Amino acid sequence: MLYAVLIPLLIACFIPYLSKFKDKIHTGIFVLFVPLSIFIYFLQFIDTNFVPVAQGYSWIPSLNISLDFYLDGLSLLFVLLISGIGTLVTLYSIFYLHKSERLGHFYVYLLMFMTAMLGVVLSDNVFVLYTFWELTSISSFLLIGYWHYRERSRYGALKSMLITVFGGLSMLGGFILLTIITGSTSIQEMISQTDVILNSPYLPLVMTFIFLGAFTKSAQFPFHIWLPDAMEAPTPVSAYLHSATMVKAGIYLIARFSPVFSAYEWFFIIVSGIGIITLCWGSYMAVRQTDLKGILAFSTISQLGMIMTMLGFGTKAAAFAAVFHILNHATFKGSLFMVAGIIDHETGSRDIRKLGGLMTLMPISATLALFGTFSMAGVPLPFLNGFYSKEMFFDVSLDLSSTSLFIAEIMKTSIPYLAVLGSIFTFVYSMYLFFGTFTGEKHLDELPSKPHEAPIGMLISPALLIVGVIIIGLIPNLVNEPLLAHAAKAISGEEVHKHIAFWHGFEAPLYMSLIVVIFGSILYIFRKKWTDIYLLIPGTLSLNKVYDRILDGSEKYSRKITNSYMDGSLRKYIALIMIATVLVTFTTMLTTDGFTIKTDDLAKVTVSEILIASVMVAAALGTIFARNNVAAILILGVVGFGLSVLFVLYRAPDLALTQLVVETITVALFLLCFYHLPNLRPRTESFKTKSVNAIIAISFGALMTMVAISAHSSKWFGAISEYFIENSYELGGGANMVNVILVDFRGIDTLFEIVVLGIAAFGIYAMIKLRSDKGVE
Amino acid sequence: MIRANDLILRTTTILIAFILFGFSIYLFLAGHSAPGGGFIGGLMTAAAIVLMYMAYGYEAMKKIIPVNYQNLITIGLAIAVLTSIGSFVFGEPFLSQTFEYFHLPVLGEKELATALLFDLGVYLTVIGVTMTIILSIASDR
């Protein structure tokens, strides 16, 4: 199975070489065999007595991450969809994309996506699943932005990337929590530990995180907004990614974890609640679109909402209905996208207002579209698969067990009504899609090119899908036991056997279907009369506006915030640094009870010390208030010389000498520098600024004093100076202990201090001598 | 700028500079056993040179002491590093110092320490650094 997953990626490495011959042979022909062989390989697994297959390959054993693949009924259904529709889409793209396009890029991205998608549905390890999940986001991003010179493509690609990666990351959070709870990274292992997970206090968090991932990927309300914008991708991509495979990854995720979560009572409320909202909102919005692919995008959103609703029910029958609809939706939606692509290709327009009356010009496409749209609408005809799954949806929505939660009760009664409502709109847009395009007046002069039937190659893929629609419609039980029963078993955790029949008596689902058809027809016929409602409702509720506002707002506010404190003023930065130091130090000292004063080991204060200290304080104050810069430097010198006198008093002759000379040289250097500088300008800051600065400075000084006192008052062990006193003559051979420490005991400090001095000297030399305005030779 | 006839300054400078030189070398050599050392010694030497620069001017001093102070920094650092590495030769860790008492012909029983070589590096570096900084700034127009 490892090869089945990775072969597309391996082939993708050779695409750049193959695409060199694209003038002679279309690159897609090479690619075609990849999904086809995978499809044939997995076709062999279809069997009534199918048992899940597990295979493991080592990857990162130390992190308990291995390439574990697990093929059960659910995975098999998805794998067949991915490889089967992948084959058809590749075939279609051979005729859709002209040789002048960058075919190499296209097929590399497409194969990358194929690997990613196969990996998502086959992985048993959550982190491997996540890896492939993000690969689908990236390859989808690349495919949506395929025509990157178009602004709309870039916008759509970025939007889908941001939303799906947001979901993907939150899903990773959920996976990590699950791993912590169960101590395992395997999904099957997690399912076997369902009780542990359900009793965990992190359960709500895990579910929120994982559901965010699933809902963003599957374009559920309110994260559906990326899907309509992703329609800027080439049509084969829309047909493949945004109808049949990638958008179902979220569905797959929910279905995969359904055995774990469905016992939790909020599972139904969240999944079915979001699903039913998505169903209604998507189908309502689809009627409003004028772009063929726009209609199909919102239709996909609403159909995904329907599948999600069924998954939320958590019953055996609902699981079966869900997998059945996954299969049906993939067939008819894929073909509809391809037909939309054909119309776009042959007429040059996707605007349904410009199209019309194409029935006689494009009879084959019209036939295909007829079956596709009618199946999507769920028209009760015995050769359309959409009707069966819709009927099952109504059936399972009426058959929900009761729970204790009040919201769940409300939802239970309202879901059948909402399901019918959503289906009515589905009916309306399906009819609009077909009749708006293929019947009515012709506007041939408005179209960019003269419409004619598509080449045969382009029609093969949608025709095969429609054949699939009809076969499933005519003999629905063909796929029942070998495929769907196993898939439903993987979701619900128990054996599911169901017989699909077109006719099952005069019962509620049939009446609901009839209501849908009757009301839908009425609404479609009088469509023009009520389209004005759209100007009111989505106009104020548009989620795109919210998205744009969030995006623009975050950019605007982050810029504002950055500008507010990064204004380039060094004074402000210093003030911020000092405030931060004061706050952090003060809180730390306060919370750890750090302020202490001990007076028992203090030395006696002598008169000379007081005298020198007061001179130094006076000089320091003088420096602050000095109005002349030379005066300020000289007064500052007093502080330095006072310090050297203090060193003398405290019996540090080396320090005193060094301080004396260094102070002299610093003062001289200051004077040298200030000779070149203009005179100090009188300080013009407002009183407020001055007092704020004063407060910061005083609090900083006070805090440092307190820290120093506290540090002095809490000595925990004796000094190591005893060692130096004893050994400086014995080991270092010198009587000057300071010097012995500097050059012997701690010589490395000295070594690097002279390096620092050297760097400073060369720095000054370079700054002065090598100025660019001096004209370096 | 018209230079005043600063005869008294120049004459006293000769005397004071040599006393300063002598004192700085004393500080440097005595550092191991009395207050002083390479750092303060170097600063003192630099002070003497600066004094001469002030009295005699930049051009004259370049002839009297034809030393490139940037090279002095390099030499000083090289000495400090090399004496530190030297301890490897004797199988000792980096920067190990040792000392021994020798009986020298004229001076009698004296102590010689390898730390003095390291201090020499410090001494030369400090002179080089101080002079580079002061001359760079002072000669900038």
Side-chain angles (χ1 to χ4, degrees):
Chain A
M1 255 186 281
L2 180 72
Y3 299 108
V5 172
L6 293 184
I7 272 177
L9 207 57
L10 290 174
I11 299 289
C13 299
F14 295 102
I15 291 295
Y17 304 103
L18 295 176
S19 68
K20 280 184 187 158
F21 313 112
K22 70 174 181 183
D23 289 330
K24 291 193 193 103
I25 309 169
H26 197 283
T27 318
I29 293 170
F30 298 113
V31 177
L32 187 60
F33 297 101
V34 179
L36 187 64
S37 49
I38 297 173
F39 182 68
I40 292 169
Y41 171 69
F42 281 109
L43 217 50
Q44 298 166 4
F45 286 93
I46 295 187
D47 187 9
T48 317
N49 303 317
F50 170 77
V51 277
V53 186
Q55 275 172 19
Y57 304 89
S58 182
W59 186 24
I60 315 174
S62 57
L63 290 177
N64 206 3
I65 296 174
S66 50
L67 290 168
D68 287 332
F69 295 115
Y70 184 78
L71 182 76
D72 63 356
L74 185 65
S75 302
L76 185 62
L77 172 68
F78 273 94
V79 166
L80 289 173
L81 281 181
I82 292 159
S83 52
I85 295 185
T87 314
L88 298 177
V89 161
T90 315
L91 181 65
Y92 178 76
S93 70
I94 293 173
F95 296 91
Y96 185 86
L97 287 176
H98 193 257
K99 283 174 182 168
S100 58
E101 300 269 11
R102 295 165 307 134
L103 293 177
H105 292 68
F106 181 80
Y107 288 109
V108 167
Y109 302 157
L110 197 73
L111 287 171
M112 204 162 103
F113 173 78
M114 219 174 270
T115 284
M117 208 55 219
L118 289 170
V120 164
V121 297
L122 285 173
S123 298
D124 187 43
N125 190 299
V126 281
F127 295 110
V128 177
L129 172 63
Y130 171 75
T131 311
F132 285 118
W133 185 278
E134 290 299 1
L135 193 59
T136 63
S137 295
I138 293 166
S139 47
S140 154
F141 168 78
L142 291 169
L143 284 167
I144 297 170
Y146 178 63
W147 289 314
H148 55 78
Y149 41 84
R150 293 186 189 168
E151 217 236 305
R152 293 293 307 166
S153 292
R154 296 200 301 271
Y155 174 79
L158 183 66
K159 194 174 189 175
S160 76
M161 181 78 162
L162 284 175
I163 293 176
T164 54
V165 168
F166 159 74
L169 284 174
S170 83
M171 188 183 79
L172 178 64
F175 283 167
I176 291 171
L177 278 175
L178 269 182
T179 311
I180 294 169
I181 294 170
T182 60
S184 162
T185 52
S186 154
I187 295 174
Q188 293 306 318
E189 184 71 20
M190 286 170 183
I191 290 172
S192 70
Q193 292 193 36
T194 302
D195 294 338
V196 181
I197 297 173
L198 285 179
N199 292 323
S200 162
Y202 299 118
L203 181 64
L205 215 54
V206 171
M207 280 180 53
T208 317
F209 282 160
I210 290 186
F211 286 0
L212 268 179
F215 290 158
T216 49
K217 200 73 163 182
S218 278
Q220 297 295 299
F221 189 88
F223 306 109
H224 64 273
I225 48 172
W226 65 267
L227 190 59
D229 282 302
M231 290 302 128
E232 294 301 320
T235 303
V237 173
S238 310
Y240 190 35
L241 273 69
H242 306 129
S243 74
T245 52
M246 190 180 87
V247 287
K248 293 208 176 83
I251 302 275
Y252 169 80
L253 190 73
I254 298 279
R256 180 51 82 206
F257 281 97
S258 164
V260 179
F261 296 134
S262 59
Y264 187 57
E265 48 197 0
W266 280 89
F267 178 80
F268 165 68
I269 297 174
I270 297 169
V271 177
S272 291
I274 297 281
I276 199 83
I277 293 171
T278 314
L279 166 61
C280 295
W281 183 252
S283 58
Y284 173 74
M285 288 294 284
V287 188
R288 181 176 176 247
Q289 305 299 313
T290 53
D291 177 35
L292 285 183
K293 279 171 88 177
I295 299 176
L296 290 173
F298 275 104
S299 142
T300 303
I301 291 168
S302 92
Q303 302 276 334
L304 292 171
M306 178 173 151
I307 300 171
M308 203 60 103
T309 315
M310 286 191 274
L311 286 176
F313 292 164
T315 57
K316 263 166 50 173
F320 187 86
V323 290
F324 191 33
H325 197 68
I326 289 171
L327 178 66
N328 293 344
H329 177 248
T331 53
F332 64 68
K333 190 54 65 66
S335 67
L336 282 177
F337 265 109
M338 290 177 189
V339 170
I342 290 171
I343 294 167
D344 184 17
H345 207 263
E346 304 306 329
T347 65
S349 171
R350 291 196 320 242
D351 192 332
I352 201 161
R353 288 166 301 187
K354 289 187 192 164
L355 300 167
L358 295 176
M359 179 103 77
T360 49
L361 295 167
M362 306 170 77
I364 305 175
S365 307
T367 318
L368 298 176
L370 177 79
F371 282 108
T373 48
F374 276 54
S375 181
M376 182 161 75
V379 175
L381 290 170
F383 49 86
L384 295 174
N385 60 5
F387 169 70
Y388 294 94
S389 43
K390 183 144 288 185
E391 197 82 330
M392 276 190 198
F393 173 50
F394 290 147
D395 193 19
V396 294
S397 72
L398 291 169
D399 183 30
L400 292 171
S401 57
S402 62
T403 62
S404 53
L405 284 173
F406 180 63
I407 312 171
E409 285 300 321
I410 296 179
M411 277 175 56
K412 231 156 261 173
T413 38
S414 57
I415 276 181
Y417 296 102
L418 287 172
V420 170
L421 181 73
S423 300
I424 291 173
F425 283 118
T426 307
F427 189 87
V428 174
Y429 71 70
S430 301
M431 294 305 114
Y432 180 48
L433 190 65
F434 178 73
F435 291 109
T437 316
F438 292 104
T439 62
E441 290 175 50
K442 291 177 183 150
H443 315 275
L444 294 184
D445 45 332
E446 284 180 36
L447 294 172
S449 54
K450 194 178 174 326
H452 54 82
E453 190 53 85
I456 186 76
M458 232 168 166
L459 290 166
I460 295 174
S461 302
L464 282 174
L465 284 171
I466 291 298
V467 167
V469 168
I470 295 169
I471 288 176
I472 300 172
L474 287 174
I475 339 168
N477 293 309
L478 181 72
V479 288
N480 186 350
E481 280 293 312
L483 186 61
L484 297 179
H486 299 299
K489 187 191 165 204
I491 298 176
S492 63
E494 43 196 323
E495 295 280 336
V496 182
H497 295 289
K498 203 166 166 68
H499 185 74
I500 310 168
F502 174 66
W503 181 256
H504 40 82
F506 289 102
E507 284 183 27
L510 181 68
Y511 298 127
M512 286 159 87
S513 283
L514 289 177
I515 291 171
V516 168
V517 174
I518 294 164
F519 273 89
S521 309
I522 296 170
L523 273 182
Y524 173 66
I525 292 163
F526 299 104
R527 199 175 51 83
K528 289 213 167 60
K529 300 224 164 106
W530 54 275
T531 38
D532 289 344
I533 298 173
Y534 284 115
L535 299 175
L536 294 173
I537 296 176
T540 48
L541 276 176
S542 172
L543 288 157
N544 281 317
K545 278 185 190 161
V546 177
Y547 167 83
D548 287 336
R549 205 170 291 162
I550 290 173
L551 215 61
D552 293 345
S554 58
E555 199 182 319
K556 204 170 84 191
Y557 285 110
S558 47
R559 183 174 295 143
K560 226 180 215 172
I561 290 169
T562 312
N563 286 345
S564 70
Y565 71 92
M566 300 282 262
D567 59 356
S569 155
L570 292 179
R571 290 183 188 187
K572 195 164 184 177
Y573 297 165
I574 292 282
L576 287 176
I577 291 169
M578 290 179 89
I579 290 170
T581 315
V582 168
L583 286 181
V584 171
T585 317
F586 187 76
T587 17
T588 316
M589 295 288 276
L590 209 61
T591 48
T592 56
D593 214 10
F595 292 112
T596 46
I597 293 182
K598 250 197 286 181
T599 48
D600 49 356
D601 64 340
L602 292 183
K604 258 203 154 155
V605 185
T606 60
V607 182
S608 46
E609 284 165 10
I610 294 175
L611 217 65
I612 295 163
S614 37
V615 169
M616 282 168 75
V617 168
L621 286 173
T623 316
I624 300 170
F625 294 106
R627 296 202 173 271
N628 182 310
N629 49 12
V630 176
I633 294 161
L634 292 177
I635 300 170
L636 193 61
V638 173
V639 179
F641 291 122
L643 190 62
S644 66
V645 176
L646 276 184
F647 282 142
V648 171
L649 286 181
Y650 292 144
R651 283 178 237 135
D654 291 277
L655 288 185
L657 270 172
T658 314
Q659 172 68 25
L660 204 63
V661 181
V662 167
E663 188 61 38
T664 316
I665 289 174
T666 342
V667 169
L669 282 178
F670 265 131
L671 288 175
L672 265 176
C673 296
F674 277 61
Y675 178 76
H676 297 288
L677 289 179
N679 264 328
L680 264 186
R681 271 168 301 162
R683 307 288 286 268
T684 50
E685 298 106 327
S686 64
F687 178 73
K688 199 178 142 200
T689 326
K690 270 186 190 167
S691 33
V692 168
N693 286 348
I695 289 168
I696 294 172
I698 289 168
S699 54
F700 191 81
L703 186 80
M704 287 306 137
T705 313
M706 282 198 284
V707 170
I709 292 172
S710 307
H712 182 80
S713 306
S714 45
K715 275 183 189 145
W716 293 340
F717 33 74
I720 56 164
S721 50
E722 293 299 323
Y723 173 82
F724 294 125
I725 294 169
E726 281 168 20
N727 292 310
S728 79
Y729 194 78
E730 291 293 311
L731 297 177
N736 182 354
M737 201 176 85
V738 174
N739 193 269
V740 172
I741 292 174
L742 283 180
V743 298
D744 197 340
F745 289 129
R746 309 276 304 266
I748 201 149
D749 293 354
T750 314
L751 183 63
F752 285 104
E753 271 153 26
I754 58 176
V755 171
V756 167
L757 282 180
I759 291 170
F762 284 126
I764 290 170
Y765 184 79
M767 277 199 292
I768 288 174
K769 300 279 176 182
L770 307 179
R771 278 200 313 242
S772 57
D773 60 337
K774 254 184 141 181
V776 188
E777 49 283 296
Chain B
M1 196 167 82
I2 305 161
R3 244 188 130 78
N5 187 3
D6 39 10
L7 182 68
I8 297 175
L9 174 68
R10 289 183 179 202
T11 316
T12 46
T13 298
I14 296 173
L15 287 170
I16 295 173
F18 276 96
I19 294 170
L20 273 178
F21 271 128
F23 182 54
S24 70
I25 288 165
Y26 161 75
L27 279 176
F28 166 60
L29 290 175
H32 219 48
S33 300
F39 195 82
I40 189 70
L43 281 177
M44 218 40 112
T45 310
I49 300 172
V50 169
L51 186 64
M52 288 163 76
Y53 265 93
M54 283 161 77
Y56 292 98
Y58 190 74
E59 294 302 322
M61 279 306 292
K62 256 172 94 176
K63 283 179 200 142
I64 298 167
I65 310 179
V67 175
N68 184 337
Y69 295 107
Q70 285 87 58
N71 287 348
L72 210 56
I73 301 177
T74 325
I75 294 166
L77 286 176
I79 291 174
V81 173
L82 287 176
T83 57
S84 316
I85 293 174
S87 54
F88 287 150
V89 178
F90 304 98
E92 295 288 323
F94 186 69
L95 250 175
S96 299
Q97 310 283 16
T98 184
F99 62 94
E100 198 52 70
Y101 294 93
F102 292 102
H103 194 80
L104 296 174
V106 186
L107 303 165
E109 181 87 3
K110 280 290 163 195
E111 175 204 357
L112 287 181
T114 53
L116 193 69
L117 288 172
F118 182 75
D119 233 10
L120 181 68
V122 178
Y123 177 74
L124 294 178
T125 311
V126 170
I127 297 176
V129 166
T130 319
M131 292 316 296
T132 304
I133 294 174
I134 289 179
L135 291 183
S136 305
I137 295 176
S139 65
D140 182 46
R141 288 289 171 266

